[in-house]
Amino acid sequence: MSKLEITDLQVSVETEDGPKQILKGVTLTINDGETHAIMGPNGSGKSTLAYSIAGHPKYTITGGTVTLDGQDVLAMSVDERARAGLFLAMQYPVEVPGVSVSNFLRTAKTAIDGEAPKLRTWVKDVNAALEQLNLDPTFGTRNVNEGFSGGEKKRHEIAQLELLNPQVAILDETDSGLDIDALKVVSEGVNRFRSQEGKGVLLITHYTRILRYITPDFVHVFVDGRIAEQGGPELADQLEAEGYDKYTKAASV
Amino acid sequence: MTVTDSVRSALEVDKVESHLHPQGSFDVASHVVPTGREEIWRFTPLKRLKGLHADAEFQPSATACTWNTPAGVRVEGVDGDEARALRGVSGLVPNTRFAARVLAEVPSTLLVDVPDDADVTEPVVVELAGSDAGVTEAGHVVLRFGRHSRATVVLNHTGHASMAQVVEVVVGDGAQASVISLQDWADDAVHLTHHQTLVGRDATYKHVAVSFGGDVVRMDTNVTYDGPGGSAELLGLYFADAGQHIEHRLFADHDAPRTKSNVMYKGALQGQGAHTVWVGNVLIRKVAEGIETYEENRNLVLSDGCQADSVPNLEIETGEIEGAGHASATARFDDEQLFYLRARGIDDKEARRLVVHGFFNDLIRRIGVPSIEGQLMSTVEAELAKNVLRDV
């Protein structure tokens, strides 16, 4: 059971010309087991929403609340948010030189669970997760994200999603830059995750094609730092046919 | 005189004028006492050297020297004519007063002699355990690796000492030699040392400098080549705490064709007044066609009040080279790395610990002596406990 509730969230970033407001009051509730897609043009603030929820220090919360099952997420440190059950699959995963994937995964799992995983089952779980995402068994010995192809980075993010198994997953443009095969593999991973009881997904994307593989319960159109329209999966088809023009024009008036 | 020697002396006509490698001399009187304004001394805190750079008396040693002797290897303190014959055996012509004094004044030499064709799997470990930093002393060490031999020598410096030292290394043709020098001194130690290596034809040489302890440690590491095809990998790892000065100066003198040098030094600094210096000099002489060189220094600054100086110098006298490059970077913790790790539930301290271990890991893995690799991992951990992992 998990419920992520975002209420009137306002976020700004420091720029050379002073603080600039990016999110202008976002309200969104992801109930138990729901998958929400957020779609919008570049620069609309989609990624800011993802990183703000995860607690990136670059973003300043100027108003609103975020709660996970009633707990105040904004009062938590970055790692506390992850331990509370939030997961962010990043658009640009960061290289960590000298730290192997297997060491990283074990350290993260230990942190999330509060105890070291049982060695035998853990090795089996890691190998299975890597294999399902078409990652080579030697992948574990490589340094985190170092020299990974774009596709490998995204598949590695989803392997982490499956192994850490959070309550709510935020996927920030996980589909961008993937070829069709990789997109299928990644989507299957996300679907395995959300087939479990009560898992929430916030899927942020620029394109509709991933929604052919991951069917959302709700679609939100995100323009200029707020939600401009919401609906069911059919809204994605409409966006596919018509694009974002009518929303961006409305926002600029 | 062998053919190689005559070629060598012919090449000496090809002099290069540069402040990076002033003309050396065995004559102590020709080296004036440095004032600190000289290019090669400008970073070093001379006042803390206890006169080792100048005219401090070389007193009877207060450092216990012990070693193991794997089968087939000769390890011995030698003196008299044999010791004299070993002065400059690496081609060293001192360019500092202290090195000239060590060669002229120290009566004995610690010799590690690996015979031709010997394949010695067990590392030769020489323990130098100092007992009194109030005693100024000096030592001369010669490590000789015979033709086509394969061996590893470890010099482990611990305890309290004020030591001027010259280590000369001769790597025979086709040999595979590793020299690892650990400066794991107590806080009051002063160590001024010059490592000079002559890399034989088609030989492979690995030199690893690991400096953690001591008040002041300065190591000059020079490499020249005794023929084409030689390869030198110069690795270094250092960790400076509050008030410590750790300085590594490297000089790869490509004086033969198709030779290689690869330098990688990584350091971390923490605490008020921690100061590290890395100077990487590479000279590619006219004769040294088809060589490859790359040098890299990375510093990780873990707290305020530290200073990391990093100076790569590359002088090229021929255009006919395979590759030459250098890189230098000094940075604090990368916020994006920490965010990534913390977004996976890893707390701040553990994330910093992972990043620092990761920073050194790649280098430690290249050392090639498992017992030392393990020891270094724990040393890094102990250093981290002083600052990064400390509860504030």
Side-chain angles (χ1 to χ4, degrees):
Chain A
M1 124 101 213
S2 60
K3 180 179 178 183
L4 182 69
E5 213 167 355
I6 303 162
T7 311
D8 194 28
L9 187 65
Q10 295 160 46
V11 173
S12 69
V13 292
E14 255 339 289
T15 69
E16 282 173 15
D17 309 321
K20 182 178 183 235
Q21 192 170 16
I22 308 285
L23 299 188
K24 301 172 179 173
V26 178
T27 299
L28 175 65
T29 299
I30 299 173
N31 286 307
D32 214 20
E34 289 177 355
T35 294
H36 291 240
I38 289 192
M39 306 195 59
N42 288 327
S44 57
K46 305 186 301 281
S47 285
T48 299
L49 177 63
Y51 279 84
S52 301
I53 297 170
H56 194 286
K58 186 176 144 192
Y59 302 99
T60 310
I61 313 292
T62 55
T65 58
V66 178
T67 60
L68 180 65
D69 297 330
Q71 289 179 281
D72 182 0
V73 170
L74 300 179
M76 300 179 196
S77 68
V78 176
D79 43 290
E80 283 168 348
R81 295 176 198 208
R83 293 197 295 273
L86 287 173
F87 179 90
L88 170 62
M90 300 192 200
Q91 186 180 0
Y92 302 108
V94 183
E95 291 183 7
V96 190
V99 177
S100 70
V101 167
S102 54
N103 184 14
F104 165 63
L105 292 175
R106 193 176 57 244
T107 306
K109 184 67 175 172
T110 304
I112 297 278
D113 290 0
E115 60 177 356
K118 298 248 180 320
L119 194 61
R120 187 172 296 175
T121 50
W122 175 243
V123 171
K124 225 192 283 173
D125 290 349
V126 170
N127 287 340
L130 294 179
E131 196 187 331
Q132 282 177 321
L133 288 157
N134 277 353
L135 292 166
D136 195 88
T138 62
F139 196 76
T141 64
R142 293 172 67 183
N143 292 335
V144 173
N145 292 319
E146 207 176 51
F148 288 14
S149 70
E152 283 174 333
K153 283 182 183 169
K154 299 299 176 70
R155 282 181 279 155
H156 177 225
E157 294 291 287
I158 300 307
Q160 294 170 52
L161 168 69
E162 293 199 71
L163 287 165
L164 301 180
N165 203 17
Q167 291 306 310
V168 177
I170 303 166
L171 310 176
D172 185 21
E173 302 212 15
T174 298
D175 53 330
S176 66
L178 293 183
D179 64 33
I180 189 72
D181 295 325
L183 181 67
K184 282 182 187 167
V185 166
V186 160
S187 301
E188 284 164 12
V190 175
N191 285 332
R192 278 192 298 272
F193 166 74
R194 69 192 194 115
S195 70
Q196 303 172 91
E197 188 72 27
K199 302 290 185 185
V201 174
L202 182 61
L203 181 72
I204 293 172
T205 179
H206 185 72
Y207 307 101
T208 51
R209 60 173 190 154
I210 193 171
L211 304 182
R212 285 177 223 149
Y213 304 100
I214 303 172
T215 312
D217 301 303
F218 301 95
V219 174
H220 310 265
V221 182
F222 209 73
V223 179
D224 191 30
R226 47 170 74 92
I227 291 169
E229 186 168 357
Q230 38 202 337
E234 73 287 349
L235 183 54
D237 299 331
Q238 189 192 321
L239 286 170
E240 172 85 18
E242 299 170 12
Y244 296 115
D245 279 4
K246 78 172 184 190
Y247 302 106
T248 50
K249 276 180 194 140
S252 63
V253 171
Chain B
M1 183 179 264
T2 66
V3 174
T4 322
D5 285 340
S6 63
V7 168
R8 218 177 153 71
S9 56
L11 295 178
E12 285 306 308
V13 178
D14 178 28
K15 287 276 188 292
V16 181
E17 290 299 329
S18 167
H19 68 271
L20 298 180
H21 31 85
Q23 197 55 39
S25 167
F26 290 99
D27 178 15
V28 175
S30 72
H31 298 277
V32 296
V33 174
T35 62
R37 286 189 294 275
E38 300 79 4
E39 175 58 32
I40 64 166
W41 290 103
R42 69 187 174 107
F43 292 110
T44 316
L46 298 180
K47 283 190 182 131
R48 285 155 64 184
L49 290 179
K50 305 205 174 151
L52 291 174
H53 64 296
D55 291 310
E57 185 195 347
F58 292 157
Q59 297 169 267
S61 176
T63 298
C65 187
T66 55
W67 56 78
N68 63 332
T69 43
V73 181
R74 178 183 171 213
V75 188
E76 203 177 334
V78 299
D79 42 29
D81 287 345
E82 189 173 10
R84 268 191 293 281
L86 292 168
R87 303 300 148 111
V89 69
S90 64
L92 170 65
V93 184
N95 66 340
T96 58
R97 187 175 178 90
F98 85 86
R101 284 189 64 210
V102 168
L103 296 198
E105 296 177 24
V106 176
S108 59
T109 292
L110 175 69
L111 173 66
V112 176
D113 216 351
V114 180
D116 290 352
D117 302 306
D119 187 358
V120 186
T121 46
E122 184 189 350
V124 179
V125 182
V126 178
E127 297 284 351
L128 295 125
S131 63
D132 187 353
V135 174
T136 49
E137 60 179 279
H140 184 243
V141 178
V142 169
L143 313 175
R144 196 157 55 187
F145 299 85
R147 274 189 300 120
H148 300 293
S149 67
R150 180 166 66 176
T152 297
V153 177
V154 179
L155 303 175
N156 189 25
H157 302 90
T158 56
H160 312 268
S162 294
M163 180 184 286
Q165 183 187 48
V166 171
V167 177
E168 297 195 64
V169 184
V170 181
V171 184
D173 292 352
Q176 294 176 53
S178 288
V179 173
I180 298 161
S181 186
L182 304 166
Q183 288 66 245
D184 196 8
W185 295 109
D187 288 345
D188 59 355
V190 175
H191 191 195
L192 196 53
T193 183
H194 181 117
H195 288 212
Q196 180 80 33
T197 301
L198 183 61
V199 179
R201 184 191 173 102
D202 299 322
T204 306
Y205 177 56
K206 184 186 287 187
H207 181 271
V208 185
V210 180
S211 304
F212 283 95
D215 178 47
V216 180
V217 172
R218 170 174 161 153
M219 178 185 280
D220 294 15
T221 303
N222 292 15
V223 171
T224 62
Y225 299 85
D226 198 22
S231 173
E233 185 179 23
L234 310 175
L235 307 177
L237 192 158
Y238 49 92
F239 210 128
D241 294 333
Q244 264 188 306
H245 178 94
I246 295 180
E247 178 168 351
H248 293 98
R249 306 181 73 95
L250 295 113
F251 180 27
D253 186 350
H254 284 275
D255 52 358
R258 296 185 306 283
T259 50
K260 288 183 187 172
S261 63
N262 193 327
V263 177
M264 165 66 103
Y265 270 63
K266 284 187 166 189
L269 300 86
Q270 60 182 0
Q272 197 63 38
H275 187 195
T276 64
V277 178
W278 176 86
V279 180
N281 294 325
V282 174
L283 171 62
I284 304 168
R285 293 184 192 257
K286 214 166 258 151
V287 67
E289 294 189 349
I291 70 104
E292 276 182 67
T293 176
Y294 187 75
E295 50 172 358
E296 184 173 348
N297 174 228
R298 298 203 177 273
N299 295 295
L300 190 54
V301 178
L302 305 178
S303 78
D304 291 332
C306 309
Q307 185 178 338
D309 287 296
S310 181
V311 187
N313 292 306
L314 183 56
E315 285 184 50
I316 305 179
E317 302 280 322
T318 173
E320 301 296 318
I321 54 179
E322 283 295 314
H326 58 226
S328 163
T330 298
R332 291 176 170 274
F333 276 113
D334 181 337
D335 288 340
E336 295 300 326
Q337 276 179 8
L338 294 179
F339 175 74
Y340 187 74
L341 296 170
R342 294 183 63 195
R344 300 300 178 248
I346 299 166
D347 70 31
D348 189 47
K349 272 189 200 175
E350 182 69 11
R352 285 168 193 269
R353 194 181 148 269
L354 269 182
V355 169
V356 176
H357 272 284
F359 177 73
F360 285 124
N361 267 353
D362 285 355
L363 192 62
I364 291 174
R365 284 187 206 134
R366 281 164 70 177
I367 292 176
V369 180
S371 59
I372 289 186
E373 291 174 11
Q375 183 192 332
L376 286 181
M377 293 286 190
S378 347
T379 310
V380 168
E381 191 66 35
E383 289 288 337
L384 285 175
K386 290 182 193 168
N387 196 301
V388 173
L389 302 182
R390 197 182 58 194
D391 285 307
V392 182

